[in-house]
Amino acid sequence: MRFEHQSEMPVSAETLYAWHARPGAFERLTPPWQRVDVLRRCGGIDDGDRIDLRVWQGPIPTVWKIEHRNHQPGVQFEDHLLCGPFRSFRHRHRFEAIDAKRSRLVDTIDFEMPGGRLTELIVGRWLLGQMRRAFAWRHAVTREDLAAHAEDESGAKRVAISGATGMIGGRLASLLTTGGHSVVSMVRHGSKPPGFVGGRGVRWSWEHGQIDAGGLEGLDAVVHLAAEPIMGSWTPGKKQLIRDSRVRGTRLIAETLSRLKKKPRVLVVASAVGVYGNRGQMIVDEKDPVGEGFLAEVARDWEEAAEPARRAGVRVVHARIGVVMSPKGGALRAMLPAFRMGVAGRLGFGNQWWSWIGLDDVAGALHHLVVMESLEGPVNLVAPRAVRNREFTATLAGVLRRPAVIPMPQGLVRFLFGREQANEVLLASVRAEPTKLSGSGYRYRQPDLEMMLDEVLGAEDAR
């Protein structure tokens, strides 16, 4: 059987090839609804280089061992399956020039199913449908990445990222590396940098006040994302960890950067729209004051902790991130099981505003903050239009083709999650607008909620 998908790209064939040849391309091209674990990686895309994967279909994993062959720099390379669920599988990536500024990406897959013709008749059409959705996603991400990097004329940068192995940090790191930037991972507690980043990274520990200052010397940018997750039982110890991981961690980095001989040009620190508190129906943007409550106070102190870097002349940006949407983690991943079983519904009365943003737009916006020198201070990283919880519920249920008619009363939400966490996270209303981000010219990849959910969940008409 054969599958082929091709798309025109707004760059030269050489640029298109270079994007695929750089570290992080595999991670950029893995659709968010697919679970794929990299078990081993040897080299890049040269002949004989290898990558071993664990690919999940529901709860069932299979191991794929892939070798790259027929590599023609600037023209093509191929993936050949050495071991896996197919009798044979060959994927050719080809980069064809149209003119000096345009090219064509052609992905061709030739494969044989185990069991021969009978297996093809039973699962072949379903498999081709899966490939169509996956490659529509892959080509769209490639096109959007190339366009974003083409707009960045500031040159290749060295960027340190704390939390580079997390959901947001990993997505940002792969976006940067495929664009020709180099990433230095700030790692803690014996963890390792992402496999496509390489190197040992910069060791640090906010708990012990330790950091490898020399590893940060001469960098162009630092993006600080690492922090204790918000969700979980808010015991006194958990709340202290939420605060300390943000405030003490940011202060340690900011003070270290302030003492360097060659400081980075910019420090981007993650924050959250929770800084505004529960604002009901009010529309807020970066000019509005800090609100009330535990999360608002933490976010205020979190942002103030970066002041030593600002005083030392570093451009400091506080990325006030909304509810990040991805099936890989966060709120959407937690909600999906109930919605897929058709036993979900609005939270409380459903009137609370949710300021959401897709994962690819978080990564894209963070990249934008690094390279856009006019941006500093607080910047809301949210989609152009917030939605009420009841609208979000109906939209997600519609994308999944499931009912959503079982609301969770406010009392039950407070009982399950604790009154304070329920009131500040799940029932709080924050209608934030991305005034500074939109005004700086950032182009959203997923501005519409339904479109975003279609894409990240692999719906039939995605992209």
Side-chain angles (χ1 to χ4, degrees):
M1 300 184 72
R2 166 169 287 194
F3 167 83
E4 185 169 287
H5 190 87
Q6 55 181 282
S7 300
E8 183 176 318
M9 297 291 165
V11 295
S12 67
E14 292 78 9
T15 301
L16 177 60
Y17 163 81
W19 186 94
H20 283 80
R22 292 180 181 129
F26 176 82
E27 284 71 16
R28 294 299 297 167
L29 294 174
T30 302
W33 64 87
Q34 292 182 348
R35 181 181 171 187
V36 179
D37 305 321
V38 177
L39 302 178
R40 187 170 70 104
R41 191 191 317 250
C42 299
I45 61 171
D46 291 331
D47 288 354
D49 288 346
R50 296 270 302 271
I51 185 169
D52 296 348
L53 310 171
R54 181 184 293 116
V55 181
W56 296 80
Q57 184 60 48
I60 303 173
T62 57
V63 174
W64 296 46
K65 296 185 177 183
I66 296 170
E67 182 178 85
H68 298 300
R69 300 176 186 172
N70 298 327
H71 179 211
Q72 300 176 36
V75 178
Q76 72 167 38
F77 68 95
E78 293 181 359
D79 308 328
H80 286 249
L81 186 68
L82 304 179
C83 174
F86 293 89
R87 179 179 293 175
S88 67
F89 187 97
R90 182 186 68 175
H91 176 190
R92 177 187 296 117
H93 313 251
R94 189 162 182 85
F95 318 103
E96 301 176 350
I98 297 177
D99 54 37
K101 295 184 178 181
R102 295 181 302 150
S103 57
R104 184 176 293 106
L105 173 60
V106 183
D107 282 286
T108 306
I109 298 177
D110 293 294
F111 62 97
E112 290 182 273
M113 302 286 295
R117 182 63 176 167
L118 179 61
T119 308
E120 291 179 5
L121 291 173
I122 295 173
V123 300
R125 180 173 296 183
W126 171 84
L127 185 59
L128 290 173
Q130 295 294 306
M131 289 182 178
R132 280 192 296 271
R133 289 196 289 275
F135 279 87
W137 164 270
R138 290 167 62 109
H139 283 218
V141 167
T142 305
R143 185 184 303 108
E144 291 161 353
D145 280 12
L146 291 168
H149 291 304
E151 293 175 353
D152 175 16
E153 299 179 351
S154 59
K157 292 178 171 57
R158 294 183 67 233
V159 182
I161 302 177
S162 75
T165 58
M167 180 180 71
I168 296 175
R171 199 68 182 157
L172 173 62
S174 59
L175 173 62
L176 292 172
T177 54
T178 51
H181 305 288
S182 58
V183 169
V184 177
S185 180
M186 297 179 63
V187 294
R188 301 171 56 240
H189 303 308
S191 59
K192 296 180 180 180
F196 61 89
V197 171
R200 295 185 58 188
V202 174
R203 299 287 170 178
W204 79 299
S205 170
W206 63 263
E207 298 97 330
H208 300 97
Q210 298 174 345
I211 191 168
D212 176 15
L216 298 175
E217 191 78 52
L219 295 173
D220 297 292
V222 175
V223 181
H224 176 36
L225 302 172
E228 174 71 12
I230 291 293
M231 299 308 291
S233 178
W234 278 13
T235 63
K238 172 72 171 182
K239 291 175 67 176
Q240 192 65 45
L241 194 55
I242 289 173
R243 176 185 293 276
D244 288 349
S245 66
R246 288 160 171 77
V247 178
R248 291 172 56 187
T250 300
R251 185 179 297 117
L252 174 61
I253 292 173
E255 290 177 347
T256 301
L257 297 183
S258 71
R259 296 191 293 266
L260 297 180
K261 293 181 179 179
K262 188 176 181 183
K263 303 172 181 62
R265 297 181 63 87
V266 59
L267 167 63
V268 178
V269 182
S271 183
V273 294
V275 71
Y276 300 110
N278 187 349
R279 292 301 181 94
Q281 308 308 308
M282 182 186 299
I283 299 175
V284 295
D285 69 5
E286 294 88 352
K287 298 187 298 295
D288 285 280
V290 173
E292 298 179 351
F294 170 68
L295 291 181
E297 293 171 0
V298 168
R300 178 200 62 203
D301 296 344
W302 192 1
E303 295 182 1
E304 290 178 353
E307 189 60 25
R310 192 194 320 275
R311 290 198 300 265
V314 178
R315 177 171 64 93
V316 175
V317 187
H318 304 289
R320 293 177 173 175
I321 303 173
V323 182
V324 181
M325 292 294 163
S326 170
K328 297 289 188 182
L332 182 58
R333 181 179 180 181
M335 290 184 286
L336 278 175
F339 274 86
R340 282 178 168 146
M341 290 187 291
V343 295
R346 57 178 168 77
L347 297 177
F349 295 107
N351 293 327
Q352 66 270 34
W353 288 94
W354 280 15
S355 297
W356 64 276
I357 184 170
L359 177 59
D360 268 357
D361 269 319
V362 177
L366 289 171
H367 168 240
H368 185 75
L369 298 182
V370 167
V371 303
M372 186 61 63
E373 296 190 357
S374 62
L375 285 171
E376 61 181 326
V379 180
N380 291 340
L381 266 57
V382 294
R385 189 179 75 86
V387 298
R388 295 183 188 273
N389 172 256
R390 61 171 177 262
E391 180 182 349
F392 175 86
T393 298
T395 304
L396 177 56
V399 169
L400 295 173
R401 296 178 176 85
R402 296 289 191 276
V405 295
I406 307 177
M408 185 180 292
Q410 289 186 355
L412 181 57
V413 176
R414 294 183 177 116
F415 173 77
L416 292 175
F417 296 94
R419 175 175 292 274
E420 188 178 23
Q421 183 174 178
N423 288 342
E424 293 206 25
V425 179
L426 301 174
L427 301 176
S429 181
V430 182
R431 190 180 180 184
E433 289 196 342
T435 303
K436 291 174 71 172
L437 184 63
S438 297
S440 68
Y442 177 73
R443 294 192 300 176
Y444 281 87
R445 299 175 182 230
Q446 300 166 326
D448 177 77
L449 178 65
E450 184 174 6
M451 181 191 77
M452 180 276 297
L453 291 173
D454 275 342
E455 292 177 1
V456 301
L457 298 176
E460 188 70 40
D461 57 349
R463 303 258 178 173

